[in-house]
Amino acid sequence: MTTPTTDPSSAMPAFGGTIALIERTLLTEEVKIGKPGQPVFDPETGQYVPGPDEIAYQGPGLHRASGGPGVVLRLEGQPYRDDGDGRYLLFTPMSAPVAAEGNTVTIAKSTDPAAVGRTFKILDPGETGALSVVRQTWMRIEKTSGGAA
C-alpha cells in the first residue's frame, strides 16, 4: 500500500485529475455571480442609487432545486413573510470566489432552456470545508427569465 501524495501548499492529499473530472461532469452550466456595484448619483432626484452589478465570477456552475419551501411558524399577532418560493443550491468550482449574502446569480447557459436568464439571490455565504470538491451556496429565486417570480 502506498501513501497518497500531498499538495505542498495545503498538506492535503493531492486528488490529481479527480476534481477536474467532477467539475467537467457536474458543472455543466455557465453562471454569473454579481456583486452590488458602487452607488451612482442621480441628478434628477439628488440621491445616490444602486449602480449596476459588477461580475464577481463568470464560469462553470450548476443550480438545482433543493426541495420545497421551508417551514413557517406563525406566532399570534406577529407579521411574517409567506415562505412560498423554493430554495436552490448553486455549485461552483472551489477556485471560484465565495459568493456573499445578497449577491445575484444569473444562469447564462444551460441545457434547460427555461433556466437561462433566471436570477437568484444568495442567502448565505458559500459553504467551505476541507474535503469539498465543489462549493455549494444556498440561494432563492428572484426572477424567472419571463418576468418576476
Side-chain angles (χ1 to χ4, degrees):
M1 185 168 170
T2 61
T3 304
T5 60
T6 57
D7 178 352
S9 65
S10 66
M12 293 294 296
F15 294 109
T18 306
I19 291 177
L21 174 67
I22 291 169
E23 287 179 359
R24 277 194 316 273
T25 306
L26 181 67
L27 306 179
T28 57
E29 297 178 321
E30 181 179 332
V31 299
K32 291 182 194 176
I33 299 177
K35 61 182 183 179
Q38 293 294 321
V40 177
F41 183 73
D42 181 355
E44 290 184 21
T45 64
Q47 302 289 322
Y48 281 93
V49 296
D53 277 358
E54 298 172 4
I55 302 296
Y57 171 76
Q58 182 170 353
L62 182 82
H63 82 292
R64 73 167 186 86
S66 65
V71 175
V72 176
L73 298 175
R74 181 165 189 245
L75 300 175
E76 189 61 36
Q78 298 296 315
Y80 71 98
R81 180 185 183 278
D82 184 18
D83 198 19
D85 49 354
R87 289 180 177 83
Y88 288 76
L89 277 169
L90 170 69
F91 298 96
T92 53
M94 294 301 289
S95 59
V98 177
E101 185 177 346
N103 286 170
T104 58
V105 175
T106 303
I107 308 302
K109 292 180 187 172
S110 176
T111 56
D112 177 3
V116 176
R118 283 197 175 193
T119 303
F120 302 84
K121 274 285 189 202
I122 298 295
L123 296 174
D124 291 308
E127 296 177 0
T128 61
L131 295 176
S132 299
V133 291
V134 293
R135 188 174 318 284
Q136 63 180 359
T137 306
W138 289 96
M139 55 187 191
R140 174 168 276 164
I141 195 161
E142 185 172 79
K143 104 176 184 176
T144 60
S145 53

